[in-house]
Amino acid sequence: LQEMKAMLYLTVEEAPSAESVDPDIVTRHYRNFDEQFFHYCEKELKKINTFYAEKLAEATRKFATLSTELKTTLTDNKQRQKSKHKQMDDDRPYMTSRKIHEFKTAFSEFYLSLILLQNYQSLNHTGFRKILKKHDKLLNVDIGGKWRVEKVEASHFYTNKDIDKLISDTENTFITKLESGDRQKAMKKLRVPPLGERRTPWTTFKVGLFSGSFIVLLIAVVLSAIFHESGNENFKVAFQLYRGPLLVIEFLFLIGVNVYGWRSSGVNHVLIFELDPRNHLSEQDLMELASIFGVVWTLSVLSFIYSDSLSIPSFVNPLSLTIIMIIFLINPLKVFRYDARFWFLRIC
């Protein structure tokens, strides 16, 4: 899409002025460009159709294999239950809880691949529609719209609806065979968030609230450090103790900035870093964590500076901050970004 857009803008820039040359020359310039442009579109469309057909055939085969394995295992399990009081071969397969978990994981991953293929179908159609609309707008013609109707909307990747049927069949199999008909529970495990999913206003509010609080408290820390009378030696040691946690907070914030940059530029960091598409932190989640820890950090520093007035041993403050951050990371309860925390520990 970007390459096509660049081709369009370059052609418009290089086009001879209608005032200084014969109109036929301008017409010929755009005609030659259209030949190259639509040849390029044709080539890209062919690649998309081929890729889509290959992935669809692969998905169809995989669904058939998974369904057959599940049906066989369920049948063997029923037979085993019927003859549980009879002598039988110990090697006979049956549906253990582990086997059920394996099937659920397999169908969940397969469902994700189907959603990605459906997104591929949708994104490519949208891309063609946008670039051809821009072509017609810049060149003041209607050839792009006609080409889209004639070629893109008649192409295999757009007209084929087998992917929708595969998604529906996978959902039905998962619901009826693996979740005992509980659709809500099944879809909670299967559902993949849509591309470009918007975050709730509540998350945005929390990011703004804690970021604003951190900035105000940081100013208070700087002013207190300048004007408050305290031992220079203590401040030097405190600087070394507080520097580490501050770097962690800065690191979190800058990861959030990176994620925002990647998402804005269309870089699929979730796929590149092999994150869970159903459950990963957005840039707002990362910035929220950074700002919350920033507030805790500034409060700890202020408590250190005014420890004499508060009657608290001064070096209890950096120790408490470090303990709080470690407890947050290793807390076994399924709260406070449990999946992200333990993903991070596994990576470490």
Side-chain angles (χ1 to χ4, degrees):
L1 188 63
Q2 294 299 325
E3 195 167 337
M4 292 181 189
K5 196 184 288 185
M7 287 170 66
L8 277 171
Y9 284 124
L10 185 63
T11 298
V12 172
E13 285 175 15
E14 293 179 346
S17 174
E19 297 172 359
S20 57
V21 296
D22 191 75
D24 287 343
I25 296 174
V26 179
T27 306
R28 200 178 308 123
H29 171 80
Y30 285 121
R31 193 185 300 124
N32 290 337
F33 166 72
D34 277 345
E35 261 183 56
Q36 295 173 9
F37 180 77
F38 287 112
H39 175 71
Y40 185 83
C41 288
E42 193 92 46
K43 189 172 71 172
E44 291 301 305
L45 185 61
K46 187 177 179 182
K47 279 161 59 177
I48 291 164
N49 277 324
T50 303
F51 179 82
Y52 178 79
E54 286 174 358
K55 290 297 175 185
L56 185 63
E58 187 183 310
T60 305
R61 287 194 299 272
K62 191 167 184 180
F63 178 72
T65 303
L66 280 172
S67 299
T68 304
E69 285 180 6
L70 178 61
K71 187 178 179 181
T72 303
T73 308
L74 287 171
T75 303
D76 287 341
N77 184 52
K78 285 179 183 176
Q79 290 175 354
R80 183 180 181 277
Q81 286 176 339
K82 285 178 183 176
S83 55
K84 62 183 177 181
H85 298 298
K86 297 177 183 178
Q87 189 177 0
M88 54 182 293
D89 186 357
D90 290 338
D91 294 331
R92 192 169 184 169
Y94 61 95
M95 278 288 265
T96 61
S97 57
R98 183 178 177 182
K99 193 72 176 174
I100 292 170
H101 177 71
E102 285 175 0
F103 271 117
K104 285 182 178 180
T105 303
F107 270 96
S108 180
E109 291 304 310
F110 175 65
Y111 187 81
L112 172 61
S113 70
L114 295 180
I115 295 297
L116 290 175
L117 187 58
Q118 191 183 51
N119 287 338
Y120 176 83
Q121 185 184 41
S122 171
L123 284 171
N124 278 291
H125 177 257
T126 303
F128 269 117
R129 180 176 56 77
K130 285 184 176 179
I131 197 65
L132 293 171
K133 187 178 178 182
K134 187 172 283 292
H135 170 277
D136 289 355
K137 185 179 178 182
L138 287 174
L139 306 190
N140 198 23
V141 292
D142 62 352
I143 304 170
K146 290 177 180 176
W147 194 90
R148 177 174 59 83
V149 172
E150 183 185 335
K151 299 284 187 178
V152 179
E153 295 189 0
S155 62
H156 174 71
F157 92 90
Y158 181 69
T159 56
N160 184 277
K161 301 302 176 188
D162 288 352
I163 187 67
D164 298 331
K165 185 177 184 304
L166 265 177
I167 288 171
S168 178
D169 289 345
T170 305
E171 288 175 359
N172 290 335
T173 302
F174 194 89
I175 292 165
T176 55
K177 306 290 186 186
L178 294 170
E179 290 296 347
S180 307
D182 190 337
R183 182 175 180 82
Q184 188 176 3
K185 186 179 176 184
M187 292 311 297
K188 190 176 179 182
K189 292 178 182 175
L190 283 177
R191 191 169 287 114
V192 183
L195 294 175
E197 183 186 27
R198 294 182 181 275
R199 293 287 156 177
T200 62
W202 174 238
T203 307
T204 308
F205 171 77
K206 285 190 290 183
V207 172
L209 175 67
F210 288 112
S211 299
S213 302
F214 171 69
I215 291 167
V216 171
L217 288 168
L218 187 62
I219 293 168
V221 166
V222 172
L223 294 175
S224 298
I226 293 170
F227 296 109
H228 187 75
E229 294 181 3
S230 183
N232 288 333
E233 193 61 34
N234 275 1
F235 265 126
K236 188 182 288 186
V237 176
F239 174 76
Q240 293 171 346
L241 292 174
Y242 280 112
R243 183 174 54 187
L246 182 61
L247 286 174
V248 172
I249 294 163
E250 182 190 4
F251 180 72
L252 265 176
F253 175 76
L254 291 176
I255 290 176
V257 173
N258 275 331
V259 170
Y260 174 75
W262 293 326
R263 192 175 61 79
S264 301
S265 304
V267 176
N268 192 345
H269 71 283
V270 175
L271 180 66
I272 293 168
F273 293 118
E274 298 180 357
L275 306 179
D276 183 353
R278 296 183 181 88
N279 187 16
H280 60 275
L281 299 185
S282 69
E283 67 278 6
Q284 286 192 339
D285 295 326
L286 289 162
M287 288 177 183
E288 182 191 347
L289 276 175
S291 58
I292 289 171
F293 277 121
V295 168
V296 174
W297 183 87
T298 50
L299 289 173
S300 180
V301 175
L302 285 171
S303 180
F304 174 85
I305 294 170
Y306 295 103
S307 56
D308 292 338
S309 305
L310 297 169
S311 301
I312 300 171
S314 56
F315 288 103
V316 165
N317 296 295
L319 177 63
S320 301
L321 174 65
T322 306
I323 290 171
I324 287 169
M325 294 181 80
I326 292 171
I327 288 174
F328 171 81
L329 186 62
I330 64 173
N331 173 19
L333 301 177
K334 293 192 174 182
V335 291
F336 304 126
R337 312 293 180 190
Y338 172 83
D339 292 325
R341 289 189 288 109
F342 276 82
W343 173 84
F344 177 72
L345 288 173
R346 281 197 303 274
I347 292 299
C348 286

